[in-house]
C-alpha cells in the first residue's frame, strides 16, 4: 500500500506535466489559438491587398486601352485636346489624386508559451510536494517511524527475534 501511494504522487506529477504541456506548451492549445488568430489576420490583409491589386489592374488596362479614361486623366493633369479652350479659375483647391491604402506592415509574432523546462520543473516540484505530504501523513499516523529501533540485548548480547520454521 505504501508503494501505491508514492506511485500515485509520481502519477500526479506526470499528469501535471502533460496538462501543462498540452495547455501552455510550445505545441499547446494556447499557442495554437494565438497562431490561428495571426492566420485569420493575415488572410484578411491578403484579401484586402488582392482587392487593391485587382482595382489597380483594371485601372491600368483602362488607361492603356480606353480613350475616354485616357482623356479624363489627361484633363486631370491639365492637358487639353485640339479645339478645346482653357479657362483657369483661381482660388479652388486642386483635384486630389486617388491614394490607395496598401495596408500596414504586419510582422510575425512568436506566440507566448511555457517552455518544456518550466513544465518539467513545475511537475517535479509538485511531485516532490505530493511525496512530502504523503510521507508526513504516514509519519503522523505512525506507519513510518523516524526513531531507530534497537534490538533487545541481554548482558551485551543482542537478541534477534526470528520466526521459527
Amino acid at each position: 500500500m505504501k508503494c501505491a501511494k508514492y506511485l500515485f504522487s509520481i502519477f500526479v506529477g506526470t499528469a501535471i506535466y502533460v496538462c501543462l504541456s498540452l495547455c501552455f506548451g510550445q505545441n499547446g492549445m494556447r499557442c495554437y489559438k494565438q497562431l490561428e488568430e495571426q492566420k485569420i489576420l493575415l488572410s484578411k490583409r491578403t484579401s484586402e491587398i488582392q482587392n487593391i491589386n485587382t482595382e489597380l489592374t483594371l485601372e491600368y488596362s483602362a488607361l492603356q486601352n480606353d480613350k475616354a479614361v485616357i482623356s479624363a486623366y489627361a484633363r486631370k493633369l491639365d492637358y487639353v485636346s485640339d479645339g478645346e479652350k482653357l479657362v483657369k479659375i483661381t482660388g479652388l483647391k486642386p483635384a486630389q489624386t486617388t491614394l490607395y491604402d496598401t495596408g500596414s506592415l504586419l510582422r510575425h509574432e512568436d506566440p507566448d508559451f511555457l517552455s518544456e523546462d518550466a513544465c518539467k520543473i513545475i511537475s517535479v516540484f509538485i511531485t516532490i510536494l505530493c511525496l512530502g505530504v504523503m510521507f508526513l501523513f504516514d509519519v503522523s499516523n505512525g506507519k513510518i517511524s523516524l526513531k531507530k529501533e534497537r534490538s533487545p540485548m541481554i548482558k551485551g548480547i543482542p537478541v534477534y527475534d526470528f520466526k521459527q520454521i
Side-chain angles (χ1 to χ4, degrees):
M1 185 65 181
K2 289 180 189 177
C3 184
K5 283 184 183 179
Y6 298 116
L7 285 177
F8 176 74
S9 65
I10 292 173
F11 171 75
V12 167
T14 306
I16 297 248
Y17 169 72
V18 169
C19 290
L20 285 174
S21 293
L22 283 176
C23 295
F24 303 107
Q26 186 174 6
N27 297 324
M29 291 183 284
R30 181 174 175 223
C31 186
Y32 178 76
K33 183 179 176 185
Q34 290 174 355
L35 290 174
E36 194 69 29
E37 290 171 359
Q38 280 187 14
K39 179 183 173 187
I40 290 170
L41 185 63
L42 282 174
S43 66
K44 284 181 184 177
R45 296 282 172 91
T46 303
S47 66
E48 290 173 4
I49 290 173
Q50 285 175 345
N51 291 340
I52 291 171
N53 187 27
T54 304
E55 290 175 16
L56 288 175
T57 305
L58 289 174
E59 200 170 315
Y60 178 72
S61 65
L63 280 172
Q64 282 183 332
N65 303 324
D66 194 2
K67 300 272 186 194
V69 174
I70 294 171
S71 64
Y73 271 98
R75 283 193 182 97
K76 280 185 180 179
L77 296 173
D78 293 335
Y79 286 100
V80 242
S81 65
D82 293 335
E84 287 184 337
K85 293 183 180 180
L86 182 62
V87 177
K88 202 165 200 178
I89 302 173
T90 59
L92 294 178
K93 287 198 270 182
Q96 292 182 354
T97 59
T98 306
L99 295 176
Y100 293 99
D101 181 25
T102 57
S104 59
L105 180 63
L106 193 62
R107 295 194 186 273
H108 169 72
E109 295 177 9
D110 290 330
D112 299 328
F113 60 88
L114 200 58
S115 69
E116 284 296 311
D117 292 338
C119 291
K120 290 175 184 176
I121 289 171
I122 291 170
S123 65
V124 166
F125 176 74
I126 290 176
T127 302
I128 291 172
L129 183 69
C130 190
L131 280 171
V133 167
M134 289 188 178
F135 180 75
L136 290 176
F137 181 75
D138 285 346
V139 168
S140 67
N141 285 342
K143 293 180 181 175
I144 297 177
S145 176
L146 297 177
K147 296 177 184 175
K148 187 175 180 183
E149 295 182 20
R150 294 185 179 175
S151 57
M153 297 183 82
I154 301 175
K155 296 183 183 176
I157 301 172
V159 176
Y160 296 105
D161 187 19
F162 292 114
K163 293 183 179 180
Q164 297 290 326
I165 299 179

